Amino acid sequence: MDRLDNTIRPYAWGSTTAIPKLLGVEPTGEPQAEMWMGAHPGAPSLTERGTLVEAIEADPERELGAAAVAKFGPHLPFLLKILAAGAPLSLQVHPNLEQAKEGYADEERRHIPVDAGHRNYKDANHKPELICALTEFEGLCGFRAPVEAADALDGLGVDSLKPYVDLLHAHPEEAALREVLTAILSADPDEMAHTVAEAAAACSRLGGAYTPYADIAHHFPGDPGVIAAMLLNYVRLQPGEALFLGAGIPHAYLSGLGVEIMANSDNVLRCGLTPKHVDVPELLRVVRFEAGDAGVLRPEAAPDGEEVYETPIDEFRLSRYVLPEGTTAHDLTRATPQILLCTAGSVRVGEHELTPGRSVFVAAGEKAEVSGAGTVFRATVVA
């Protein structure tokens, strides 16, 4: 069992206070957006044996278990994070596995450098995600019904939004959403900037359900993603609630602190709320133009006090234990690799005392008992 020393990423959208508060340390004054736990080559966790990448590479079957290696290869297939959003993240989607393989192979054939700003596919993997709120957490997730989006846009009283309102009323669901998103992202930049300014002013004036979009526009003035965001479901998670973001689902995190887990990939196609490259044709190939509920997840009870966030993929499985004072030790030994993360209280895992924000890696089959009073998230795989 390895105690993990984890990297904090200082992305500009990060909160300056949320992660320091969780860890019980003084803020630096700089944004602290994500703390990574795992074996992602961009910022692998450190152990007493070197990086977690090096520890796994030394003996993959011992660290990951034969079943996980057979299913996912000789590497940890997930990345666990603490995410702290102090400002909106980019509006984005992720490809499915087939799209990722095709896109990566195509860009490799065209010799586009992997670090090029206009490159879409950094690897050949998909990137399903799950975010579980530790505090109240705001986000956008999936398309709302076209008629609802039309009503929201129409309510702003902005003349230049009328064509989008008409499109949303005039077509079947999929066609309406596709045509409107295409029109928003393909509009003349100067005209769109003026439309966004008018819409932002209306959102500020109207308040209520428009308040989140006024805040988005404050951070991204003139960005077409402000209008695209109004096509999506707004959701406010309470602590313990979660969202699963599958392939093709447009989404953005707006504010709050959460535990995030994802398949090990960097493939992101952006729709807006960013100065980075937006590849509209490729984006439209990947987006699933389906309206529906945001799909808030709540944990389902499993044996021995475990609460599981059920998802349809195997690269990760996230669950938690909420341990009251006086709880007897729970045996968390499992035939797959695990990262155990404390987010509240104080717990003991083996010889390691974990306080909020501290974590350990447990090799497949290694004895792991947890005791104490607190909350522990368990990240593993389905193999």
Side-chain angles (χ1 to χ4, degrees):
M1 188 180 303
D2 297 280
R3 179 184 289 272
L4 299 179
D5 182 9
N6 304 305
T7 297
I8 295 177
R9 309 307 292 261
Y11 305 136
W13 50 261
S15 167
T16 59
T17 59
I19 288 179
K21 182 179 180 181
L22 180 73
L23 296 175
V25 300
E26 288 296 316
T28 65
E30 299 298 318
Q32 298 188 23
E34 297 180 345
M35 184 168 74
W36 288 19
M37 291 158 278
H40 190 288
S45 299
L46 298 177
T47 75
E48 291 185 352
R49 299 183 288 157
T51 69
L52 189 55
V53 171
E54 293 167 339
I56 291 171
E57 285 179 344
D59 193 342
E61 287 211 0
R62 184 172 70 86
E63 301 296 332
L64 305 177
V69 171
K71 191 167 188 176
F72 305 111
H75 56 269
L76 191 67
F78 66 82
L79 175 64
L80 184 67
K81 300 179 180 180
I82 293 174
L83 182 146
L89 282 68
S90 62
L91 192 59
Q92 59 189 259
V93 297
H94 306 300
N96 62 32
L97 189 56
E98 182 180 353
Q99 290 165 340
K101 289 178 177 178
E102 291 174 354
Y104 180 77
D106 174 63
E107 292 185 328
E108 286 290 281
R109 279 194 301 269
R110 291 189 284 136
H111 304 292
I112 300 175
V114 73
D115 58 352
H118 64 289
R119 176 142 182 171
N120 295 313
Y121 297 95
K122 311 296 185 183
D123 52 69
N125 200 14
H126 63 165
K127 194 187 180 188
E129 299 176 350
L130 177 75
I131 183 79
C132 177
L134 294 178
T135 65
E136 192 171 82
F137 194 97
E138 295 180 284
L140 304 170
C141 178
F143 289 108
R144 53 180 163 179
V147 66
E148 294 178 10
D151 289 345
L153 293 175
D154 197 32
L156 295 175
V158 175
D159 287 343
S160 53
L161 292 176
K162 297 297 184 183
Y164 305 146
V165 173
D166 292 341
L167 282 171
L168 288 166
H169 281 303
H171 292 280
E173 176 180 289
E174 181 178 348
L177 293 170
R178 178 181 290 276
E179 288 194 33
V180 171
L181 184 62
T182 302
I184 290 169
L185 298 180
S186 304
D188 177 87
D190 292 334
E191 292 179 5
M192 178 53 71
H194 181 72
T195 296
V196 172
E198 285 193 84
C203 286
S204 297
R205 183 178 68 254
L206 294 167
Y210 289 104
T211 299
Y213 307 102
D215 183 63
I216 292 170
H218 170 74
H219 288 284
F220 296 96
D223 192 304
V226 175
I227 307 302
M230 297 188 72
L231 304 177
L232 307 185
N233 295 298
Y234 167 77
V235 61
R236 178 177 289 164
L237 301 177
Q238 297 305 310
E241 294 180 333
L243 289 174
F244 173 70
L245 293 316
I249 302 298
H251 63 278
Y253 303 146
L254 303 179
S255 68
L257 182 71
V259 173
E260 185 183 39
I261 190 168
M262 62 186 62
N264 246 343
S265 172
D266 290 324
N267 288 326
V268 176
L269 290 153
R270 295 174 178 84
C271 315
L273 310 184
T274 178
K276 295 182 179 179
H277 177 62
V278 177
D279 185 335
V280 175
E282 187 64 15
L283 173 72
L284 297 174
R285 188 177 80 90
V286 168
V287 171
R288 286 169 52 191
F289 291 96
E290 301 172 4
D293 185 80
V296 174
L297 294 178
R298 294 171 181 85
E300 299 184 12
D304 195 30
E306 186 180 26
E307 300 176 329
V308 182
Y309 293 91
E310 296 287 355
T311 67
I313 52 92
D314 294 342
E315 282 87 347
F316 61 75
R317 175 185 184 274
L318 185 72
S319 62
R320 69 173 184 174
Y321 289 82
V322 181
L323 307 174
E325 192 73 48
T327 302
T328 57
H330 289 266
D331 185 358
L332 271 59
T333 307
R334 191 176 172 93
T336 51
Q338 305 180 73
I339 292 178
L340 304 178
L341 164 68
C342 176
T343 59
S346 177
V347 299
R348 175 169 288 277
V349 182
E351 298 179 353
H352 300 286
E353 194 76 28
L354 300 184
T355 53
R358 314 300 175 183
S359 56
V360 293
F361 173 77
V362 184
E366 185 174 5
K367 183 72 172 178
E369 286 192 340
V370 60
S371 59
T375 300
V376 178
F377 280 83
R378 175 199 233 180
T380 185
V381 302
V382 179

